[in-house]
Structure formats: structure tokens, C-alpha cells
């Protein structure tokens, strides 16, 4: 059985999309894969309630309880490894990971970023796209490497930027496509894991 561990920090809508796809497309049977755990760095992450309702193991590794980024990442890796993951999916996980953590899961850790990488790495991607006068925007699923918001691209989706768009309106349009491409990217990667 291939175990997938999903890391979240907030609402977890991308995590929920992956969980729903795994159920809808019966990943247990089609890919011998399952969502083994949802782990958050924030105790108040709303996504934890969804995972619990889906009877998925949930854990919190509260980054505020650690004196350094390294100490947090070491504990996070320990808790992730309990589930023997074939794949780690960062889904709205708002932490910058240490090179040691990234190296530990090299080749089996994905992230979803709300821009068409390599354009607009980092934060506030939608406002930056609007400020730049972009006519299209989108999202990217990529392998996580030591360089932030970089790494081999697995899937992308494009959405139009509409007249009068606010960052919030554009974010909502992009988010709907995140929920399409993230499960699809994972399903396509599973056979090779
Ligand atoms: C999304 O915009 C995602 O692209 C970014 O975090 C935001 C919230 O994601 N990484 P989620 O709803 O918590 O999955």
C-alpha cells in the first residue's frame, strides 16, 4: 500500500480535493494507495476537521512549540515517517522547509503553487499578476526542491484574468483549478512511486 501524507496549514481545500478524488476514483484499488494522514503545523487549521470526518489520521506539529526551523522540521519528519509515506503532498502548507527536510523526501514531495511557475514564486501571487497586467493566471503542481517554488513541473492550469478582477476574485478562480490539477498530478505520479 502506498501511503500519502498531506501537510496543511489552513482550510485544506486542496487536501479535501485529493481525499475526494482518492475516494471517487478508488485509489486503493486502482493505485494501491491511500491517504494515510493529514498533518498540520497549526492546531486551528480548519482542514483537520474535514480529515477527521473522513476518518483519516490527523496530527498537529505546532511550529510555535519549536525554538528553530530545524527542530520543527526534524519533529515533522519524524511524525510524517510514522506513516511510511510514498508521497508527501504540501497542500496550502505555509512553511518554508529546510534543505534537510526537502532532501529527505526528494522525488516524492509535491506542492501546489497559485501561479504559473516560474512566474511569481513566493507570496501574493494574484495581486502581483494583476499589478503586472497579466491576461492569464493559473496554478502549478511541482516537485519540491531546495529552491522555493521551483522544481520539476508536473501539471499547470490557466485561467483568464477578467476586467476588474480583484486578487480575491482571481484567487477563487485559480483555486477551482488547483482542485483539478493536484489530484490529477498525484494520480499520474502514483504508478511510478
Ligand atoms: C491556495 O491558494 C494554495 O494555492 C496555497 O494555499 C492556498 C490555500 O490552500 N498554497 P488550501 O485551501 O488550504 O488547500
Amino acid at each position: 500500500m502506498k501511503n500519502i501524507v498531506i501537510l496543511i496549514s489552513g482550510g485544506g481545500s486542496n487536501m479535501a480535493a485529493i481525499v475526494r478524488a482518492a475516494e471517487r476514483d478508488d485509489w486503493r484499488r486502482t493505485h494501491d494507495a491511500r491517504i494515510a494522514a493529514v498533518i498540520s503545523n497549526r492546531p486551528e487549521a480548519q482542514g483537520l476537521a474535514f480529515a477527521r470526518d473522513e476518518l483519516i489520521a490527523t496530527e498537529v506539529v505546532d511550529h510555535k512549540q519549536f525554538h528553530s526551523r530545524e527542530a520543527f522540521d526534524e519533529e515533522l519528519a519524524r511524525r510524517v515517517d510514522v506513516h511510511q509515506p510514498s508521497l508527501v503532498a504540501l497542500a496550502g502548507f505555509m512553511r518554508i522547509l529546510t534543505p534537510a527536510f526537502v532532501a529527505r523526501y526528494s522525488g516524492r514531495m509535491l506542492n501546489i503553487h497559485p501561479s504559473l511557475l516560474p512566474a511569481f514564486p513566493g507570496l501574493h501571487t494574484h495581486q502581483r499578476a494583476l499589478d503586472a497586467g497579466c491576461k492569464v493566471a493559473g496554478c502549478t503542481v511541482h516537485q519540491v526542491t531546495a529552491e522555493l517554488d521551483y522544481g520539476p513541473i508536473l501539471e499547470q492550469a490557466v485561467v483568464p484574468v477578467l476586467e476588474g478582477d480583484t486578487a480575491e476574485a482571481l484567487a477563487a478562480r485559480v483555486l477551482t483549478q488547483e482542485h483539478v490539477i493536484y489530484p490529477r498530478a498525484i494520480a499520474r505520479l502514483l504508478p511510478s512511486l
Side-chain angles (χ1 to χ4, degrees):
M1 181 67 74
K2 297 173 186 174
N3 292 326
I4 300 167
V5 173
I6 305 176
L7 305 187
I8 67 170
S9 296
S13 70
N14 275 287
M15 173 271 296
I18 296 165
V19 169
R20 292 191 180 103
E23 287 166 3
R24 182 192 64 227
D25 302 333
D26 198 1
W27 284 0
R28 280 178 180 271
R29 185 178 55 79
T30 57
H31 293 302
D32 189 30
R34 69 183 184 127
I35 313 303
V38 171
I39 302 178
S40 176
N41 64 302
R42 296 177 60 241
E44 63 276 21
Q46 289 303 304
L48 291 169
F50 174 89
R52 277 195 288 273
D53 289 348
E54 294 290 322
L55 306 179
I56 296 169
T58 58
E59 296 182 44
V60 172
V61 184
D62 184 347
H63 63 275
K64 296 193 183 76
Q65 305 299 316
F66 296 85
H67 66 276
S68 71
R69 190 173 294 279
E70 290 71 20
F72 167 74
D73 278 19
E74 279 170 25
E75 175 62 11
L76 180 62
R78 198 180 63 74
R79 303 279 284 278
V80 166
D81 285 350
V82 164
H83 301 283
Q84 298 178 299
S86 298
L87 179 68
V88 178
L90 308 181
F93 189 64
M94 305 310 276
R95 291 280 301 173
I96 293 177
L97 293 163
T98 57
F101 188 96
V102 171
R104 188 182 190 84
Y105 302 105
S106 177
R108 56 184 174 123
M109 182 155 66
L110 302 180
N111 184 45
I112 179 97
H113 182 75
S115 79
L116 293 170
L117 291 175
F120 307 119
L123 299 174
H124 313 302
T125 59
H126 305 303
Q127 189 57 58
R128 290 159 61 199
L130 293 172
D131 294 346
C134 292
K135 301 307 176 190
V136 295
C139 47
T140 303
V141 177
H142 63 96
Q143 290 271 7
V144 176
T145 58
E147 190 172 348
L148 184 68
D149 298 335
Y150 199 70
I153 292 173
L154 277 73
E155 293 269 352
Q156 291 188 304
V158 176
V159 302
V161 176
L162 302 177
E163 193 65 36
D165 258 345
T166 61
E168 291 72 23
L170 183 52
R173 193 174 308 125
V174 171
L175 194 59
T176 66
Q177 292 306 306
E178 293 176 33
H179 299 161
V180 172
I181 67 170
Y182 212 170
R184 186 167 65 201
I186 292 173
R188 286 179 174 170
L189 183 66
L190 283 170
S192 67
L193 294 175

